Amino acid sequence: MSSAAAFSYAPLLPTGPDQTEYRLITDEGVDVVHGPGGRRFLTVEPAALTALTAEAMHDIAHYLRPAHLAQLRSIIDDPAASPNDRFVALDLLRNANIAAGGVLPMCQDTGTAIVMGKRGRHVLTDGTDAEAISRGVWQAYTRLNLRYSQLAPLTMWEERNTGSNLPAQVELYAEDPDGHPDAYKFLFMAKGGGSANKSFLYQETKALLNPTRMMQFLDEKLRLIGTSACPPYHLAIVIGGTSAEYALKTAKYASAKYLDALPTTGSMTAHGFRDLELEAQVLELTRDFGIGAQFGGRYFCHDVRVVRLPRHGASCPVAIAVSCSADRQAVAKITPSGVWLERLETDPARYLPEVTDAQLDTSEVVRVDLNRPMDEIRAELSKYPVKTRLSLSGPLVVARDIAHAKIAERLDAGEPMPQYLRDHAVYYAGPAKTPEGYASGSFGPTTAGRMDAYVEKFQAAGGSQVMLAKGNRSAQVTRACQEYGGFYLGSIGGPAARLAQDCIKHVEVLEYAELGMEAVWKIEVEDFPAFIVVDDKGNDFFAEVTKPMLTIGRR
C-alpha cells in the first residue's frame, strides 16, 4: 500500500454564502451575553423557536418562492410548451394566488413537518429545542386550515391519527452555520406523501460511472417517478455517498435548493459538488419523455440538481428525489439581530398572464354532465381519445385508502357494492379542514396508484366505473377498464386551493364519518378539470411515455 495522504478536511457538503432575502419575525426571546475570554453568546428562548416554527409552517403552506413562480410563468410564455403544459402551469399559478390569501393551503396534503437546524457553538438554549419546535408545528397545524396526516402506531397493525400532525421530524446539529458561532440556522419543509413517496434509492456499482450508462440508467428510472407527485418537478439526483441514508438525505436537501451553492468541481478533499453539465443533459432528457406537466409536453421538470458525493469503493448508491408543485420549504436564522425567516412571495398575482383559457388551449374542452346515469357518462367518454381535456360538473363520490379497504371487506363478506359507487364517479381525495364560510377545504387529488389493487374487484361488482385522481395506473387497471368498460380520469395534481374555491360547491359525508378526512364523501363540482388517461378500449396515455428510449446494447 502507498503511504497515507496528509491530513486534510472539508465538509462533505460545503455550502457557499447565504444569498437569501429574509424578513424579521421578532427580536424578542433573543439576547447577547458576554462570556469568558471575550466570547459573545447568543441566548435563545424556547418561545422564539416556537414562534419561528409556527410562522414558517404557515408561510410554506400558503406561499411559494419567487423563483418557482417565475418558472411556472415561463412555461406559459414558452412557445414550445404543449397546451397541456400551459394549462397546468396557469392552474398552478391561479392556485398559488388563492393560497396566498392565507385561508386555503396550496395543497390538501399539508405534509409531514420536517425541520433541520444547525446551532453554532456560542448559541445557548435550555436544551428543549426539539420540543419548542414541535410546539410551533402543533400551533400551526391546529390553528390553520391544515390537515392532520400523522398516524400513531398503537400495535404493529393498528394506527390512529394523532389529531395534531405531530410528530414532526426534527434534526438538530452542532455546527457553526456559515462559520458563525453565534447563529442558529434552519431549513423548514412540509413534505406531502405523494412527493415523499417518489424518493428512490438504487445500489449500483462502478459500472454506472460512465456517460452512456448513466444516461441509460436515468432514462429508465426517472420515467418511473410518473406524475402522481404533481409535476413539474424540481428533480434531485445524488451519485455516491458515504452511506445509503446520507445519499437520500442529500437528495432531499438538493430538491429544496438548499445545496445550490455547492462547488461545481471536485477535489482530493472528497467534498460533494454539483455537475452542471449533467444537470443540463438530464433536464433535456426529461423534456423528451413526452410526459410533460402531467398530461403530455416538455415540462416534466422545472430544473435538475445533480450532486456527486464520495463513495466506498464497493458501493455506489444513487438517490433520486423531487420537490413537487407544492414546493414547500423556507430557510430561517436566529442571530443577535433577531429571528428571521425567508421572504416568500405574498403577491403571486403578478406572475399571472393577461390571457384566457381559450388562448392557452388549442383543443376543445369536452363538458361532462355527471348528473346522468353511469352508462350515459361512460358512453360519452368512450367517444374521445386519451389526453382529451374534460370539464366535469355534477356529483362525485370521494373515497380513498381506508374507505376502499372497508368496502373490499364488505365485498369479501358477500355484501353488495354500495350503490353510491355504482351510480357515481369516484374521486380519490382527502380534504383539509374547511374554513368558515367555505363549502370545502383544500381538496386536491390523491395518488391513484394506491387504489390499484381494488379496481378489478370493484369494477366486477359494478363500482368504480369512472375514477378520478392523479398520476399513472398499473397495467392491471388498464386491463380492468378494458374488460368492464371503465375509465380513469387524471386530475391536475397541485391546485387544491383553486379546486376548493372555484370548483367544489357542496360537501357532505356519506359513510364512515368516524374516519375524518378518510370518510366517504359526496361532493358537487362545477367545471372540474380532468383528462382522459385510461379508456375502455385498453389505451393508457402513460404506457407510451414511460417506456425508456435509450437502450443498452449487447456485446
Side-chain angles (χ1 to χ4, degrees):
M1 295 180 64
S2 61
S3 59
F7 175 78
S8 62
Y9 173 78
L12 273 176
L13 296 172
T15 54
D18 186 358
Q19 305 292 336
T20 306
E21 181 182 355
Y22 291 95
R23 65 182 182 90
L24 182 66
I25 302 300
T26 182
D27 57 6
E28 297 181 359
V30 296
D31 197 7
V32 174
V33 298
H34 295 280
R39 289 179 293 178
R40 190 174 72 160
F41 292 86
L42 175 67
T43 63
V44 180
E45 297 295 329
L49 294 171
T50 297
L52 172 60
T53 301
E55 188 76 5
M57 300 315 297
H58 166 275
D59 281 13
I60 63 178
H62 293 281
Y63 309 135
L64 291 159
R65 286 171 166 159
H68 177 86
L69 294 164
Q71 287 175 308
L72 285 172
R73 174 59 189 266
S74 69
I75 295 174
I76 298 172
D77 294 336
D78 182 1
S82 72
N84 284 343
D85 281 338
R86 294 195 291 272
F87 176 72
V88 169
L90 179 61
D91 220 35
L92 292 173
L93 281 175
R94 288 171 169 165
N95 186 72
N97 195 51
I98 293 168
V103 178
L104 293 166
M106 68 182 74
C107 179
Q108 81 286 345
D109 184 349
T110 47
T112 296
I114 300 173
V115 185
M116 186 273 287
K118 295 180 179 180
R119 191 174 81 183
R121 67 187 185 276
H122 290 174
V123 177
L124 303 178
T125 70
D126 70 354
T128 63
D129 300 27
E131 181 179 348
I133 290 168
S134 295
R135 182 176 292 276
V137 171
W138 174 84
Q139 286 184 0
Y141 278 82
T142 55
R143 294 176 181 177
L144 301 172
N145 298 307
L146 309 184
R147 196 175 85 184
Y148 309 142
S149 299
Q150 305 307 308
L151 302 177
L154 304 181
T155 69
M156 180 61 72
W157 323 118
E158 184 184 3
E159 300 173 308
R160 187 174 301 162
N161 195 297
T162 63
S164 65
N165 214 56
L166 292 178
Q169 179 180 318
V170 182
E171 301 178 3
L172 303 176
Y173 300 90
E175 177 181 330
D176 289 352
D178 302 326
H180 297 293
D182 59 350
Y184 204 161
K185 300 194 75 171
F186 302 89
L187 171 65
F188 293 95
M189 303 179 71
K191 200 70 175 172
S195 178
N197 292 345
K198 297 304 179 180
S199 299
F200 297 103
L201 174 70
Y202 302 97
Q203 296 286 15
E204 296 299 313
T205 68
K206 165 69 174 173
L208 184 67
L209 299 180
N210 69 78
T212 300
R213 179 68 186 97
M214 179 63 72
M215 293 303 288
Q216 292 165 339
F217 172 85
L218 293 175
D219 182 43
E220 174 189 352
K221 303 304 184 186
L222 297 180
R223 293 173 186 267
L224 299 179
I225 297 173
T227 62
S228 59
C230 307
Y233 299 126
H234 300 283
L235 171 66
I237 302 164
V238 175
I239 312 297
T242 49
S243 65
E245 62 269 25
Y246 194 81
L248 282 166
K249 183 174 293 189
T250 302
K252 178 175 286 186
Y253 292 161
S255 72
K257 282 74 72 184
Y258 185 72
L259 302 177
D260 277 8
L262 282 179
T264 55
T265 58
S267 77
M268 285 304 295
T269 58
H271 57 75
F273 65 90
R274 285 179 63 187
D275 187 326
L276 302 184
E277 181 179 357
L278 188 54
E279 289 177 3
Q281 292 172 356
V282 174
L283 180 60
E284 197 56 37
L285 175 70
T286 66
R287 289 184 170 174
D288 291 337
F289 286 170
I291 299 173
Q294 307 190 29
F295 302 104
R298 288 168 46 83
Y299 282 93
F300 186 63
C301 295
H302 284 301
D303 47 41
V304 177
R305 303 292 185 271
V306 177
V307 177
R308 181 67 157 89
L309 293 178
R311 68 184 185 93
H312 185 288
S315 303
C316 186
V318 178
I320 297 173
V322 297
S323 183
C324 66
S325 59
D327 189 40
R328 294 175 295 195
Q329 57 265 324
V331 295
K333 63 181 180 180
I334 302 177
T335 69
S337 62
V339 180
W340 301 82
L341 179 61
E342 180 177 357
R343 185 182 298 278
L344 302 180
E345 180 58 72
T346 59
D347 183 23
R350 65 193 184 94
Y351 294 92
L352 282 167
E354 295 293 332
V355 294
T356 65
D357 287 353
Q359 291 172 294
L360 287 171
D361 198 351
T362 59
S363 60
E364 181 182 356
V365 178
V366 176
R367 302 195 177 278
V368 179
D369 181 2
L370 298 175
N371 289 290
R372 291 181 294 172
M374 179 55 63
D375 286 346
E376 291 185 18
I377 294 172
R378 290 193 293 161
E380 177 68 14
L381 294 174
S382 190
K383 299 175 184 177
Y384 304 99
V386 294
K387 287 178 61 175
T388 298
R389 182 179 153 201
L390 309 173
S391 177
L392 310 177
S393 295
L396 288 168
V397 167
V398 179
R400 54 181 234 161
D401 308 66
I402 298 178
H404 274 68
K406 287 183 173 293
I407 293 169
E409 290 173 0
R410 287 158 59 174
L411 295 178
D412 290 341
E415 298 180 33
M417 171 64 64
Q419 194 64 36
Y420 55 72
L421 279 183
R422 299 174 64 91
D423 293 342
H424 302 293
V426 58
Y427 179 36
Y428 303 156
K433 283 183 268 185
T434 301
E436 186 176 352
Y438 284 72
S440 166
S442 292
F443 212 152
T446 289
T447 301
R450 301 212 305 265
M451 268 54 72
D452 283 4
Y454 302 103
V455 172
E456 185 173 10
K457 179 193 292 283
F458 282 25
Q459 289 191 343
S464 295
Q465 298 295 330
V466 176
M467 301 162 286
L468 175 67
K470 66 175 180 177
N472 50 303
R473 308 300 296 263
S474 65
Q476 177 186 9
V477 171
T478 302
R479 290 193 297 269
C481 286
Q482 185 174 17
E483 180 175 356
Y484 297 106
F487 293 84
Y488 167 55
L489 312 181
S491 177
I492 299 172
R498 195 191 77 76
L499 293 175
Q501 177 175 284
D502 297 342
C503 301
I504 300 176
K505 303 303 180 183
H506 178 74
V507 177
E508 62 182 277
V509 175
L510 284 181
E511 194 171 13
Y512 304 126
E514 70 277 7
L515 298 179
M517 68 93 176
E518 293 274 4
V520 177
W521 307 78
K522 184 178 181 182
I523 65 175
E524 290 285 334
V525 301
E526 185 177 300
D527 294 329
F528 193 108
F531 295 79
I532 299 176
V533 177
V534 176
D535 66 13
D536 58 345
K537 306 169 188 66
N539 299 308
D540 176 5
F541 161 66
F542 287 110
E544 286 301 316
V545 297
T546 54
K547 292 179 181 177
M549 301 299 293
L550 303 176
T551 58
I552 304 171
R554 296 182 179 272
R555 291 187 174 181

